[in-house]
Amino acid sequence: DTEVTQTPKHLVMGMTNKKSLKCEQHMGHRAMYWYKQKAKKPPELMFVYSYEKLSINESVPSRFSPECPNSSLLNLHLHALQPEDSALYLCASSQAYRVNEQYFGPGTRLTVT
Amino acid sequence: AQTVTQSQPEMSVQEAETVTLSCTYDTSENNYYLFWYKQPPSRQMILVIRQEAYKQQNATENRFSVNFQKAAKSFSLKISDSQLGDTAMYFCAFMNNQGGKLIFGQGTELSVKP
């Protein structure tokens, strides 16, 4: 099973809402990633978790709050977002941080109104 | 800092023909990894092929092959016998030996025409 799942597929939220994105993998991978992707642009790394600990935060605004409750699950909590945060949010995982093949989920299309 | 450049924003090819997508990168490191990812309109990013810099042999995966020129810092992707399902955005990506962070090029949007 080489699948990374993400829910929801689509999310529309107002600037005062609080919502969460969820990512799950059952491949036994110990590194998980959040990327943000604007239309026709490459993904931009936001966060990396390695063995459930935050390893990299690419200077992401605090209105994005990641959480890794266990090795299979990665959440991204959203609060007080801006319209420019509208994007495709991709989750990925790899066997370990130093193992380089990353497997991506289908993404959550987020629209902030 | 490492950079990845894809100089062809858009390309098109007739079904069953061969197309080559270009990628160049800049790094001072000797050991690293290079990837081509495909993102169809359905948006899921799929790994197409990977190349370890220490390997001289070019990687191949079925109809996909690369031309890796380490000295020239070039990593092109050749798609043979193009199929309609190959229509997608293709991203070239670099990862250093420490792992973790993928550095992507700007992408090439490939259209395969019937």
Side-chain angles (χ1 to χ4, degrees):
Chain A
D1 183 6
T2 57
E3 192 177 53
V4 176
T5 59
Q6 289 187 244
T7 53
K9 288 187 179 178
H10 301 274
L11 178 63
V12 179
M13 61 184 289
M15 289 190 284
T16 59
N17 291 158
K18 285 185 182 181
K19 297 285 184 184
S20 297
L21 309 184
K22 179 179 169 181
C23 173
E24 203 160 1
Q25 57 87 14
H26 295 287
M27 296 179 277
H29 288 178
R30 303 313 298 266
M32 296 185 78
Y33 310 78
W34 280 116
Y35 289 86
K36 174 183 177 180
Q37 187 180 25
K38 291 282 201 178
K40 304 234 183 215
K41 295 291 186 184
E44 298 172 7
L45 183 66
M46 300 174 72
F47 302 104
V48 181
Y49 273 83
S50 177
Y51 288 87
E52 299 151 51
K53 287 186 171 29
L54 185 63
S55 295
I56 294 178
N57 176 343
E58 290 283 290
S59 303
V60 178
S62 59
R63 58 186 184 269
F64 295 91
S65 175
E67 179 197 19
C68 189
N70 59 58
S71 59
S72 300
L73 190 55
L74 185 66
N75 298 320
L76 186 62
H77 303 297
L78 314 172
H79 172 56
L81 294 193
Q82 304 297 309
E84 59 266 27
D85 296 322
S86 298
L88 181 67
Y89 287 83
L90 294 167
C91 174
S93 71
S94 64
Q95 190 175 344
Y97 180 74
R98 287 183 180 270
V99 176
N100 45 72
E101 288 184 29
Q102 293 185 18
Y103 296 88
F104 284 81
T108 293
R109 174 77 62 195
L110 174 67
T111 303
V112 182
T113 60
Chain B
Q2 293 94 0
T3 58
V4 178
T5 302
Q6 293 178 248
S7 58
Q8 304 150 315
E10 297 177 356
M11 292 188 74
S12 66
V13 64
Q14 291 296 131
E15 198 175 4
E17 293 189 348
T18 295
V19 63
T20 299
L21 281 55
S22 302
C23 173
T24 57
Y25 59 94
D26 189 26
T27 183
S28 58
E29 301 192 18
N30 193 43
N31 292 324
Y32 48 87
Y33 303 87
L34 295 162
F35 307 86
W36 279 98
Y37 279 89
K38 166 186 176 181
Q39 190 173 34
S42 64
R43 78 193 183 206
Q44 179 136 18
M45 191 83 75
I46 302 163
L47 178 63
V48 175
I49 202 164
R50 60 174 266 177
Q51 175 81 43
E52 293 90 343
Y54 62 85
K55 289 187 178 178
Q56 292 189 337
Q57 188 171 5
N58 289 326
T60 63
E61 284 288 341
N62 301 312
R63 297 182 296 107
F64 299 88
S65 61
V66 298
N67 183 4
F68 173 50
Q69 302 288 329
K70 191 173 183 180
K73 295 180 183 173
S74 170
F75 182 61
S76 61
L77 175 70
K78 185 170 87 170
I79 306 174
S80 304
D81 185 25
S82 297
Q83 300 175 0
L84 296 177
D86 295 333
T87 292
M89 182 75 90
Y90 286 81
F91 291 103
C92 178
F94 171 98
M95 181 183 286
N96 66 24
N97 208 32
Q98 283 72 53
K101 185 171 182 176
L102 276 169
I103 299 168
F104 289 92
Q106 290 300 302
T108 296
E109 190 165 18
L110 176 68
S111 296
V112 180
K113 300 187 184 304

